[in-house]
Amino acid sequence: MKLPRCATLSEIKCRARSQKTSNSSTIGSLNVSVHSRTQWKITKKDQKMHWLVFEEGGLPDGTEVAYYSRGKKLLVGYKQGSGIVCSCCNSEVSPSQFEAHAGWASRKKPYGYIYTSNGVSLHEFAMSLLRGRKSSVKDSDDLCIICADGGILVLCDGCPRAFHKECASLSAVPRGKWYCKYCENKFQREKFVEHSANAISAGRISGIDPIDQISKRCMRTVKNPEEAEVIACALCRCYDFSKSGFGPRTVILCDQCEKEYHVGCLKKRKIADLKELPKGKWFCCADCKRIYSALQNSLNSGEERLSESCLGAVRMKLKEKRMDFVGDLDVRWRLISGKITSRETRVLLAEAVSIFHDCFDPIVDSATGRDFIPSMVYGRNIRGQDFAGMYCAILTVNSIVVSAGILRIFGQDMAELPLVATRIGSQGQGYFQLLLSCIEKLLAFLNVRRFILPSAVEAMSIWTEKFGFKEIPPDLLVSYKKTCWQLITFKGTCMLEKMVPKCRIIRHEETEAEAEAETETETETESDAPDE
């Protein structure tokens, strides 16, 4: 029976449990000397610790990794989801399979030999995550690891092991965090990791905290492997970057337009003089900051009801189809994000996914078989594709979602609409055109220059003749993708563009002048009218 933790012991972070002595076979298996363990012996506890690398808050998706042996790089890949995308087969594999593909299946120690591009082994990174994670009582052992007996136990803050105070040779219950000898030995070994041939070959620099690099912004990740050659600094167009510390060749990413910049190029062009990696969001210019702020305000303000003057085309189409509403036609539009959700918006996002699935064939990743559509709607990452900057625009009629579109804005240069569709039962009623109009007005307000989208060949005439788009020449599309490499293209489609009309801002003085002119005109008309 487990004893509740008392207040005094809680303050000094000692967790107490009571457990009856187990049978002799369990005692024999648990009574292991700390000195009998080898440096890289993988236990069940270690395996559990290692999977912290792939859990939420672990190694970022897209982080470059490689398998090293005796200072030589044998195989490269990048972390994605719960595995590693291997370069030799272009498929997602486990760390053990990645080790096998590197030719070392017999070694069975993948976490000790797979390194990030700044020289951190997956084992070392897992240890750093373990040290920063709060211990959980339910994950800890119920018996002393030394004598295999129960009672009042002191729990290690670095692993699930538990000890009697006497068995751990403690004169008193330790205050603050306490690590057992097993963990202390591991931590001690980690101090010498940076001097290993594998770590140095992988890019380890002495005197620089590599774990800090991973948690901050200067670790470069693979974002789109198929088009890696176009990923470069937006200013100098060079692909090189610094893996260590913070300096002129450190690459930083704008959180709105998603362009990459060398810190040194920003300083040289007098755009920004960064002394360290910025905390929180960073924007390359005032326009990107303004656009991001406006989009956040739109998310916070919620839905906007469209005036009756905007519904003329819809009313006409409904009348043609003899579907005119007798009552109120409540049409609203809004922008939502999978990154900022509520119970209400989660329902709306699910409706958008359903509409896209009804209107489009599945957009499936050939390697993993995963569907891209939900990832795009919810702004998730999938196999090197980063959809975090995407928003979902929806149109509702009497609280029912009838149209939805996926929108991403690359600063003032351009915006893309990779998916847009109307619910099957609501097609041909003018809602598609109405949603597109709302999106265009938003882009005009944000001063975005061009609007880009993919179109099936059979639908091109609709986009070009009805909505004013035109096909993008191949050489111009290549030029666009050099600055906006994340631009979504689908096989079998054509890329179209349209210049966004300027948004005319009517000032207060103009409004008063127009009102006075209208009044004068009405007066003149009345005076000129014949007497009845």
Side-chain angles (χ1 to χ4, degrees):
M1 178 179 178
K2 297 177 182 178
L3 295 176
R5 189 187 307 180
C6 61
T8 54
L9 292 182
S10 176
E11 290 172 3
I12 59 177
K13 298 187 178 178
C14 171
R15 284 149 286 179
R17 296 180 179 191
S18 175
Q19 179 73 28
K20 292 184 179 180
T21 305
S22 185
N23 57 42
S24 57
S25 62
T26 305
I27 294 173
S29 63
L30 289 176
N31 192 14
V32 181
S33 169
V34 66
H35 301 294
S36 67
R37 297 182 183 272
T38 60
Q39 180 176 352
W40 294 112
K41 184 174 178 62
I42 304 299
T43 66
K44 289 184 178 180
K45 292 184 178 70
D46 291 329
Q47 289 175 339
K48 184 174 182 179
M49 173 195 74
H50 284 151
W51 275 106
L52 295 175
V53 172
F54 297 95
E55 291 181 355
E56 185 176 353
L59 199 64
D61 280 353
T63 301
E64 298 176 21
V65 295
Y67 193 92
Y68 285 83
S69 181
R70 298 175 183 175
K72 293 183 178 180
K73 183 190 293 187
L74 303 181
L75 183 64
V76 297
Y78 63 94
K79 184 263 181 183
Q80 183 63 40
S82 58
I84 297 171
V85 177
C86 176
S87 62
C88 74
C89 59
N90 198 31
S91 60
E92 188 176 311
V93 299
S94 69
S96 296
Q97 291 171 320
F98 189 72
E99 183 177 54
H101 289 192
W104 282 94
S106 60
R107 180 175 273 165
K108 297 182 180 180
K109 300 170 186 176
Y111 288 83
Y113 292 90
I114 298 175
Y115 285 79
T116 63
S117 60
N118 66 333
V120 177
S121 71
L122 296 191
H123 174 79
E124 182 185 5
F125 187 65
M127 290 294 294
S128 72
L129 294 175
L130 187 63
R131 275 178 281 185
R133 172 170 288 201
K134 292 182 178 179
S135 300
S136 174
V137 173
K138 66 180 181 180
D139 291 335
S140 299
D141 292 340
D142 293 320
L143 302 176
C144 173
I145 191 68
I146 303 298
C147 68
D149 199 356
I152 306 300
L153 303 174
V154 179
L155 306 184
C156 176
D157 281 297
C159 71
R161 298 180 180 93
F163 301 81
H164 290 117
K165 181 182 71 172
E166 296 77 13
C167 293
S169 301
L170 297 173
S171 57
V173 174
R175 294 180 177 274
K177 284 193 174 184
W178 175 77
Y179 299 101
C180 66
K181 289 184 178 179
Y182 295 85
C183 290
E184 288 292 351
N185 287 344
K186 285 183 179 180
F187 298 158
Q188 190 65 28
R189 286 196 298 269
E190 296 304 325
K191 293 180 181 180
F192 299 98
V193 169
E194 65 181 82
H195 302 295
S196 73
N198 290 337
I200 294 172
S201 296
R204 187 71 164 252
I205 304 295
S206 181
I208 294 175
D209 186 351
I211 304 298
D212 193 48
Q213 283 184 300
I214 294 174
S215 63
K216 291 186 177 178
R217 312 175 69 110
C218 56
M219 275 294 295
R220 185 166 185 171
T221 57
V222 176
K223 303 179 184 68
N224 191 341
E226 292 80 6
E227 298 175 10
E229 68 275 4
V230 301
I231 305 174
C233 172
L235 298 175
C236 70
R237 303 308 308 159
C238 293
Y239 310 126
D240 66 313
F241 66 99
S242 174
K243 296 180 181 180
S244 59
F246 180 83
R249 306 314 285 175
T250 298
V251 169
I252 189 168
L253 190 76
C254 176
D255 284 301
Q256 182 54 54
C257 68
E258 302 185 30
K259 294 177 184 176
E260 289 189 352
Y261 297 90
H262 287 127
V263 169
C265 292
L266 290 171
K267 183 177 180 180
K268 186 177 180 180
R269 299 287 184 91
K270 297 182 179 180
I271 297 173
D273 187 6
L274 300 174
K275 304 299 183 184
E276 60 181 359
L277 290 171
K279 296 178 181 178
K281 299 292 182 181
W282 179 81
F283 305 100
C284 65
C285 61
D287 288 324
C288 281
K289 185 176 181 180
R290 175 183 54 81
I291 291 172
Y292 179 84
S293 178
L295 291 172
Q296 298 308 301
N297 289 338
S298 181
L299 294 177
N300 294 331
S301 60
E303 60 188 10
E304 174 189 345
R305 182 168 183 172
L306 302 184
S307 64
E308 189 65 31
S309 62
C310 299
L311 305 181
V314 173
R315 289 283 190 190
M316 186 177 296
K317 288 182 177 292
L318 290 175
K319 191 173 182 178
E320 290 173 359
K321 295 177 178 289
R322 297 182 180 179
M323 298 173 60
D324 197 15
F325 279 85
V326 177
D328 186 27
L329 185 61
D330 185 359
V331 182
R332 305 177 183 229
W333 97 285
R334 70 183 299 176
L335 210 61
I336 51 180
S337 169
K339 299 295 183 183
I340 307 173
T341 60
S342 62
R343 182 180 298 179
E344 177 192 14
T345 57
R346 283 194 290 270
V347 173
L348 297 175
L349 289 168
E351 286 293 316
V353 172
S354 177
I355 290 172
F356 292 137
H357 278 156
D358 288 342
C359 298
F360 298 108
D361 292 331
I363 304 172
V364 179
D365 177 36
S366 58
T368 64
R370 294 174 65 183
D371 186 4
F372 277 101
I373 289 178
S375 298
M376 294 169 71
V377 172
Y378 287 93
R380 298 170 182 162
N381 298 342
I382 177 172
R383 196 173 166 264
Q385 289 279 2
D386 187 356
F387 301 132
M390 289 188 166
Y391 296 83
C392 187
I394 62 166
L395 189 77
T396 61
V397 177
N398 295 344
S399 301
I400 298 174
V401 180
V402 295
S403 290
I406 301 297
L407 178 68
R408 178 160 55 178
I409 301 175
F410 300 113
Q412 274 198 302
D413 289 340
M414 66 183 70
E416 68 170 346
L417 189 73
L419 292 178
V420 59
T422 297
R423 188 182 296 275
I424 291 177
S426 301
Q427 292 177 358
Q429 298 173 26
Y431 298 126
F432 182 94
Q433 184 174 354
L434 190 57
L435 178 62
L436 195 65
S437 174
C438 291
I439 294 173
E440 283 190 359
K441 287 179 181 177
L442 173 65
L443 296 180
F445 173 74
L446 298 176
N447 293 325
V448 177
R449 296 187 183 92
R450 56 178 57 85
F451 195 14
I452 293 179
L453 54 82
S455 169
V457 176
E458 58 270 20
M460 272 188 63
S461 59
I462 298 175
W463 286 110
T464 55
E465 296 172 11
K466 187 174 183 179
F467 297 113
F469 284 80
K470 62 180 181 179
E471 187 174 1
I472 304 174
D475 56 340
L476 185 57
L477 182 60
V478 171
S479 176
Y480 286 167
K481 298 195 80 171
K482 284 183 179 180
T483 54
C484 296
W485 54 266
Q486 310 92 323
L487 204 61
I488 300 294
T489 58
F490 299 116
K491 289 183 178 179
T493 63
C494 299
M495 294 300 290
L496 309 178
E497 73 171 342
K498 175 183 180 179
M499 300 307 291
V500 179
K502 294 288 184 181
C503 178
R504 180 171 176 243
I505 300 174
I506 301 176
R507 297 177 181 176
H508 181 66
E509 296 81 358
E510 293 178 4
T511 306
E512 290 181 348
E514 289 175 1
E516 290 176 2
E518 288 177 3
T519 304
E520 291 175 1
T521 304
E522 289 173 1
T523 304
E524 291 174 0
T525 304
E526 289 174 1
S527 62
D528 293 338
D531 294 333
E532 294 181 358

